[in-house]
Amino acid sequence: MSFPASRGRRLRKTNAVRRLVKETRLSPSDFIYPIFVSEVITKPELILSMPGVFRFPVKEAAKEADRVFKLGIPAVLLFGIPKEKDDRGLRSLQSDGIVQRAVAEIKSLNPEILVVTDVCLCEYTSHGHCGVIVDGEVDNDTTLDILSAQAVSHAAAGADIVAPSDMMDGRVGTIRHALDENNYKNVAIMSYAAKYCSAFYGPFRDAVNSAPGFGDRQGYQMDPSNVSEAMKEIAWDIEEGADILMVKPALAYLDVIARAKQKFDLPIAAYNVSGEYSMVKLAAQSKLGDEKQLVFEILTSIKRAGANIIISYHAADVAQWLSEQR
Ligand code: PBG
């Protein structure tokens, strides 16, 4: 490159030229918006560890889903907070369970909203683990039966996509089989394929009260040091019938997203998790940076790394900001 023939600044001069050569653009269609729906409250309740995020009763959850859909966000991801927990998480299977009721309510309010449900036991078990405990350990194969029954009950309520986040082995195949057997062939699976054992889930566990009562999740969630293992997990889930593959968390795992995108031809989703969200909110509150700029930079980096879909608590704000931008 001979100076001064090449000058990068020519294409950075004005807002118009910068817009013209922009390589990565966020759109409301990129996003899935997570919603917490609770059986224990009668009006929306702010989650203290996640500034700006609420737990909603069923009716209000549906209204919130409709609000974000009207901002251009195609899908919501539901997490349930049940009234009662037990050692097997059986409240998660009932047709009048919190997620099942929320799915039905959203669909009756606006059937166009794409409804994704988190399939896991940790919100429903008294011990907070993502599976059933046998002999002091989270038992893989016993857990699979409950997870697939849960996925079928979400489908029966009207869910379009089920998203298993438990990290048991073989769950995608087992759930696919159960859905097909029950005639839910067109319900898709978004698998939390590469889900790391991360400290960034802290605020979420506070939101749904799912911190493990003993031990930790290292026996089933992935070691943050590993990336080849993530490719193996993704390949297994594709073989078992996953339709969308997720990497989670997002920001500390951009390399994993980039590799997954290069290696596989299915849509890649990235989960910009609760800890990533709350860090930005608290930083902005402390005037360490401008919230909107921080959010755009982070979410753009996730898309630039290769994510086709971003799950983010910032999504509603971003859709609003995009609609105001010219
Ligand atoms: C498990 C689940 C978790 C999250 C999504 N699904 C928590 C965990 O694995 O402990 C975390 C999401 C977030 O931090 O935003 N059902």
Side-chain angles (χ1 to χ4, degrees), residues 32-39 47 50 54-56 61 76-82 98-100 102-103 106 115-120 122-124 150 154 163-165 190 192 195 204 207-208 210 246 248 271 273-274 311 313:
I32 298 179
Y33 188 61
I35 294 180
F36 296 101
V37 55
S38 169
E39 212 170 25
I47 299 166
M50 300 179 71
F54 290 81
R55 297 182 196 90
F56 293 101
V76 294
L77 170 60
L78 299 182
F79 293 98
I81 300 151
I98 183 67
V99 166
Q100 291 82 352
V103 174
I106 293 170
V115 180
V116 188
T117 57
D118 186 80
V119 171
C120 195
C122 65
E123 295 107 296
Y124 302 89
Q150 188 185 133
H154 290 175
S165 67
M190 175 169 76
Y192 288 68
K195 176 170 175 178
F204 174 95
V208 305
S210 71
M246 193 201 299
K248 176 184 173 197
Y271 200 142
V273 300
S274 59
I311 303 160
Y313 305 97

Side-chain angles (χ1 to χ4, degrees), residues 81 97 163 175 286:
I81 300 151
I175 290 171
S286 306

